[in-house]
Amino acid sequence: MTGLPDSHFEELIHPHTGAVGHVRTPARGFSSDFAAVVEGEKGRFFVKAMFNVPGGRKDSLLREQAINPFVQPLSPSLVWSAGGDEDGWIILGFEVIEGRASRFEKGSSDLSAVVETLDRIAGQGLPEVAKSWSEDRWDRFATSASEAALFRGNTLIHSDINPSNIIIGERGTWVVDWSWPTRGGQRSSTPAVSSYSSSRPGTRRNLPKAGLPGARLGRVPTRGPSTHSPWPVFGCTATSLSGIRKFPG
């Protein structure tokens, strides 16, 4: 089937999709070895897959699989999985949602929905499966152990909040691409939307006084481990948006 990686991949997903008739690749979002909407005899599914190879990124897909039951209905449901250690591929099939990327910029009509969605993430609680996923990727931005401690906590962090990962549709708002959820502190979420919005004309950052060391020292990272995303990759809560002050012109 044109659009699928190979015949072995097609064999692995066939029990879940039936014969595949169409494959539609998204315009952006390339953190997976394969990502597309697959239409088959048994329905339409958003399919993500990783090669099961040494040094690969399969752990991120396994985390996404593990966290999915605990982030419902914020996230599209995982419908099926295929492949495994002996198959060369690890494949997840999600329900297909219809919507568009949200907009974070000044004056966007999406901001209220984004704030509500981020508050819902913050209110999810930390599931048992995530308690060992401690956040330490941002320690390099701290200048001391006490500053690094600000990243610690018992909050579930999405860790890649950006306009493309908050989808707004007629049926609701979803948070997608839970490829590296972690356990961290809410303060580690503060700069994401603020640093994006502050790059727009007419906005300035007004970060909380007890915010992150990186933010306080003017060293907010503009990129992170998610190489496909041009946005900061901290998770964030409503604090991010409430910390934006708007100025004329």
Side-chain angles (χ1 to χ4, degrees), residues 84-193:
D85 289 340
E86 304 300 323
D87 295 307
W89 285 98
I90 296 175
I91 310 168
L92 303 182
F94 295 88
E95 68 170 319
V96 173
I97 58 172
E98 300 294 343
R100 60 169 176 80
S102 57
R103 302 182 66 178
F104 285 3
E105 65 264 25
K106 173 184 176 182
S108 169
S109 61
D110 294 344
L111 293 183
S112 60
V114 171
V115 168
E116 180 183 358
T117 301
L118 299 178
D119 281 342
R120 290 172 67 193
I121 294 176
Q124 285 293 110
L126 185 71
E128 188 70 29
V129 69
K131 288 185 176 179
S132 64
W133 300 344
S134 181
E135 178 58 75
D136 58 10
R137 290 170 295 172
W138 307 107
D139 288 3
R140 60 197 172 100
F141 295 102
T143 60
S144 67
S146 61
E147 287 188 344
L150 295 175
F151 295 109
R152 310 293 183 258
N154 292 309
T155 299
L156 177 64
I157 302 294
H158 178 281
S159 84
D160 194 3
I161 291 296
N162 68 69
S164 294
N165 283 344
I166 297 184
I167 305 299
I168 296 179
E170 292 183 1
R171 294 194 297 114
T173 303
W174 296 270
V175 183
V176 301
D177 199 12
W178 288 80
S179 57
W180 208 253
T182 59
R183 170 187 178 181
Q186 287 194 6
R187 288 173 178 171
S188 65
S189 65
T190 300
V193 181

